[in-house]
Each structure stands twice: as structure tokens, then as C-alpha cells.
Amino acid sequence: MGFSYVVAVAILLSSSLIFFGMVYNANLQAELQIREAQQREIEHITEEVETALNVTSYEVRQNGSAYQVTMNLTNTGSVTVALGESTLLVNGTVVNFTFSAPYLFPQGRGHITFDAPSVPFTYELVAQDGYSIYGEVE
């Protein structure tokens, strides 16, 4: 009876070690994923804070029943804005637009061109990092 007791204790101890090793490994992986997510969030917030776009001027031309708008932009922030990945809303509706360059570098200037259904209208340009500028054209 002594030998079976020793074997049972050995099996219980080894299975306990394996179990706690698996639990530790799972917790370690979860902690690493949380830290990576927090780091990505910090980087995203930093990009959004350091992004700044200004509308320097705009030109509105009537094009049939719609209006063609050319909006001049200046990047006054320290983050490059990818105009090709940005979204433009006119009166709350997503519209297609063309841009002078796919990227607007810090202190750079560029323009976007789009069609608006009527004047006055509101616009919102949302950059890839979530930064947005909002305005009204009268």
C-alpha cells in the first residue's frame, strides 16, 4: 500500500505542476496582450493630439445642379496625414473626393476637390487617426 500512495502523490504533484504552468502561461500571454494594446492606444492618442489640419481657403464653382468645391489645407501638426485614407462628409453624407497628393506632410499644403449638392453646406474631414475638422461653407 505504501508504493501506490507514493505513485498517487507523484501523479497529483506532477499534474498540479502542469496545471499551474498552463495557468501561469495563459495569464502571462493575457498580460502581454494587454500591455501591447495599451501601448497602441498611447500611440494612437499621441498621433491624434499631434495632428492638426487647417482649411486656409476654399473655392466654390457651380457645376450644373451641383457645386464643385476646392478646399485648400495646411498641415500645422507634426503627423503626416494620409488624405487617401481620410473620409469626407458633406451634410452628414460620405462623399468621394480627389486630393492633390496622397500624403499631407507636416507644414505641407494641399487641396481636396469634391462635389456638394447645395450651398451652404457643412463638412467634416476625418483623418486616418480619428482627428477631424468641421466647418460650414456659406
Side-chain angles (χ1 to χ4, degrees):
M1 185 128 111
F3 180 73
S4 63
Y5 178 75
V6 171
V7 171
V9 168
I11 291 173
L12 287 174
L13 284 176
S14 62
S15 60
S16 296
L17 286 174
I18 292 170
F19 172 74
F20 286 118
M22 291 171 54
V23 169
Y24 176 76
N25 188 31
N27 285 337
L28 182 65
Q29 291 299 322
E31 183 67 29
L32 288 174
Q33 289 177 348
I34 289 171
R35 286 185 186 167
E36 288 174 6
Q38 288 172 336
Q39 184 63 32
R40 284 192 306 267
E41 181 184 23
I42 289 168
E43 290 170 3
H44 178 75
I45 290 170
T46 302
E47 271 189 19
E48 188 174 357
V49 167
E50 293 178 355
T51 302
L53 289 175
N54 290 329
V55 176
T56 54
S57 64
Y58 57 86
E59 179 183 346
V60 179
R61 285 181 250 135
Q62 190 163 6
N63 186 10
S65 62
Y67 294 88
Q68 185 178 39
V69 180
T70 301
M71 193 172 291
N72 296 312
L73 304 168
T74 302
N75 183 354
T76 57
S78 61
V79 174
T80 300
V81 176
L83 290 177
E85 297 175 18
S86 299
T87 304
L88 178 67
L89 290 93
V90 174
N91 292 335
T93 304
V94 176
V95 297
N96 294 325
F97 63 95
T98 58
F99 40 85
S100 57
Y103 296 100
L104 194 56
F105 296 102
Q107 305 306 317
R109 298 172 193 264
H111 66 271
I112 60 172
T113 304
F114 58 93
D115 290 332
S118 64
V119 173
F121 63 88
T122 59
Y123 65 87
E124 183 172 12
L125 180 63
V126 183
Q128 76 277 6
D129 61 5
Y131 175 83
S132 65
I133 55 173
Y134 178 83
E136 184 174 349
V137 174
E138 297 178 3

